[in-house]
C-alpha cells in the first residue's frame, strides 16, 4: 500500500511478486485484502497496470469491496490530502473499467464506487463513473439513493437531466 508514497517500492513489489510467483489474488491481510487490493490502495498506476493481467477483477474483500471500489476510495482520499492530485486515480479507475470491472457492483453495505466518489467529493471521478454507466441507485439492501450525490449535484444534474429527457421522449413516443 505504501508504493504510491515511495515509487522505489513499485519495482521491489513487482520483483517480489514475479520472483516468488505470488498469487496476487490470495488474501494476505486481515479483511480479505489481496496483494492486488493493496496495489489499488497505493494509487500507483505502474503497479496496478503491471499486476492487473494476473488479477481476478471479481475478487472482493471480506466486506465485499471490489477492486473498482477500492481504487475510487484510494483516489478520493488522496485528493482530499493532496488537492493538486485530482488526476491521480482517474487513470487507474479508467484502466479497471476497461479491464472489465462492473461499474455498479455494490459492497455488503450496498455502497458502489459512485457512492464512494460522491461521499468523498471527487467530482471528476463521479463524472467518469457516470460516463461508464454508473447507476445512482444501488441494488443493495440499503437502497442508497441520489441524495448521496448532493455534494456534487451539478455533475449528477447534467447526467440525470439527459436521462430524464430521454425517458420523457420515449414515453411520449410510446403514447402516440
Amino acid at each position: 500500500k505504501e508504493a504510491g508514497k515511495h515509487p522505489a517500492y513499485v519495482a521491489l513489489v513487482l520483483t517480489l511478486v514475479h520472483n516468488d510467483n505470488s498469487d496476487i489474488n490470495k488474501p494476505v491481510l486481515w479483511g480479505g485484502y489481496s496483494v492486488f487490493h493493496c496495489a489499488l490502495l497505493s494509487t500507483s498506476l505502474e503497479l496496478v497496470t503491471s499486476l492487473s493481467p494476473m488479477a481476478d477483477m471479481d475478487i472482493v474483500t471480506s466486506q465485499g469491496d471490489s477492486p473498482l471500489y477500492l481504487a475510487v476510495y484510494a483516489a478520493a482520499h488522496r485528493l482530499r490530502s493532496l488537492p493538486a492530485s485530482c488526476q491521480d486515480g482517474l487513470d487507474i479507475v479508467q484502466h479497471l473499467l476497461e479491464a472489465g470491472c462492473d461499474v455498479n457492483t455494490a459492497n455488503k453495505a450496498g455502497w458502489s464506487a459512485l457512492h464512494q466518489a460522491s461521499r468523498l467529493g471527487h467530482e471528476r471521478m463521479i463524472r467518469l463513473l457516470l460516463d461508464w454507466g454508473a447507476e445512482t441507485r444501488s441494488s443493495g439492501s440499503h437502497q442508497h439513493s441520489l441524495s448521496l450525490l448532493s455534494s456534487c449535484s451539478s455533475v449528477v444534474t447534467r447526467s440525470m437531466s439527459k436521462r430524464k429527457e430521454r425517458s420523457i421522449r420515449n414515453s411520449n413516443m410510446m403514447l402516440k
Side-chain angles (χ1 to χ4, degrees), residues 61-162:
T61 67
S62 61
Q63 294 301 310
D65 297 337
S66 69
L68 183 63
Y69 182 90
L70 292 173
V72 168
Y73 171 86
H77 273 282
R78 184 169 175 104
L79 177 65
R80 280 186 153 184
S81 63
L82 300 168
S85 68
C86 68
Q87 185 63 32
D88 288 352
L90 288 172
D91 41 10
I92 292 173
V93 169
Q94 178 79 32
H95 173 77
L96 293 174
L97 290 165
E98 290 172 357
C101 283
D102 182 356
V103 72
N104 291 308
T105 298
N107 64 14
K108 289 181 179 179
W111 294 83
S112 69
L114 180 62
H115 290 117
Q116 187 63 273
S118 174
R119 186 177 76 81
L120 296 170
H122 198 319
E123 290 187 24
R124 293 179 72 195
M125 187 69 70
I126 292 168
R127 194 170 294 122
L128 174 65
L129 294 168
L130 288 171
D131 287 348
W132 275 82
E135 295 294 326
T136 55
R137 287 191 167 270
S138 72
S139 59
S141 60
H142 293 94
Q143 290 297 314
H144 302 292
S145 68
L146 184 60
S147 64
L148 293 169
L149 301 170
S150 62
S151 66
C152 302
S153 61
S154 64
V155 174
V156 176
T157 303
R158 286 191 301 272
S159 176
M160 294 305 292
S161 61
K162 288 179 185 176

Side-chain angles (χ1 to χ4, degrees), residues 14-79:
L14 292 174
T15 299
L16 290 171
V17 166
H18 293 299
N19 286 346
D20 291 343
N21 292 323
S22 299
D23 180 357
I24 64 165
N25 300 302
K26 179 181 172 190
V28 292
L29 294 177
W30 178 87
Y33 287 85
S34 69
V35 170
F36 186 62
H37 291 144
C38 293
L40 294 164
L41 294 173
S42 77
T43 68
S44 167
L45 179 62
E46 180 184 1
L47 188 57
V48 171
T49 57
S50 295
L51 295 178
S52 64
M54 299 177 284
D56 180 344
M57 297 295 174
D58 296 322
I59 296 221
V60 297
T61 67
S62 61
Q63 294 301 310
D65 297 337
S66 69
L68 183 63
Y69 182 90
L70 292 173
V72 168
Y73 171 86
H77 273 282
R78 184 169 175 104
L79 177 65

